[in-house]
Amino acid sequence: MGKIEVKICMGTMCYVMGGAELKAVVDTLPPEIRDRVEISYSPCLGTCNNGGEPPYVKINDRLVARVSKTSLLQIIKEELYNAV
Ligand code: FES
């Protein structure tokens, strides 16, 4: 079973708009999910300068805006389901 890639933006804009909480979410993922997720962090995903909607997370190649603690978990579960 393949892993999905989750890249969380830790740039200033995303961090203050909720990125810090997203890190806490991935740090507490249940083992059965954590084992299938490749987590990385970015200093800036490059989309915050145009009046964007931080915090941003990249799931595989898909950029998602305004990610919350709840939606991040939901998105990860959906991607894992689609990857089966
Ligand atoms: S700080 Fe997150 S996209 Fe730039």
Side-chain angles (χ1 to χ4, degrees):
M1 233 179 290
K3 288 189 173 190
I4 63 168
E5 294 178 21
V6 175
K7 183 179 279 189
I8 298 173
C9 185
M10 286 285 122
T12 303
M13 182 76 86
C14 288
Y15 189 85
V16 299
M17 295 297 286
E21 292 180 340
L22 301 182
K23 185 179 183 316
V25 170
V26 299
D27 287 344
T28 57
L29 285 173
E32 65 274 13
I33 293 178
R34 183 66 185 89
D35 289 349
R36 297 186 57 206
V37 179
E38 197 72 48
I39 306 287
S40 63
Y41 300 95
S42 171
C44 179
L45 290 171
T47 50
C48 56
N49 294 330
N50 304 322
E53 301 174 287
Y56 286 95
V57 175
K58 204 168 193 179
I59 313 279
N60 290 330
D61 287 330
R62 182 164 61 107
L63 189 65
V64 185
R66 289 171 54 179
V67 179
S68 68
K69 290 190 293 186
T70 307
S71 69
L72 178 59
L73 194 54
Q74 185 64 34
I75 292 165
I76 289 172
K77 287 179 178 176
E78 285 173 7
E79 287 291 327
L80 288 174
Y81 179 78
N82 290 336
V84 173

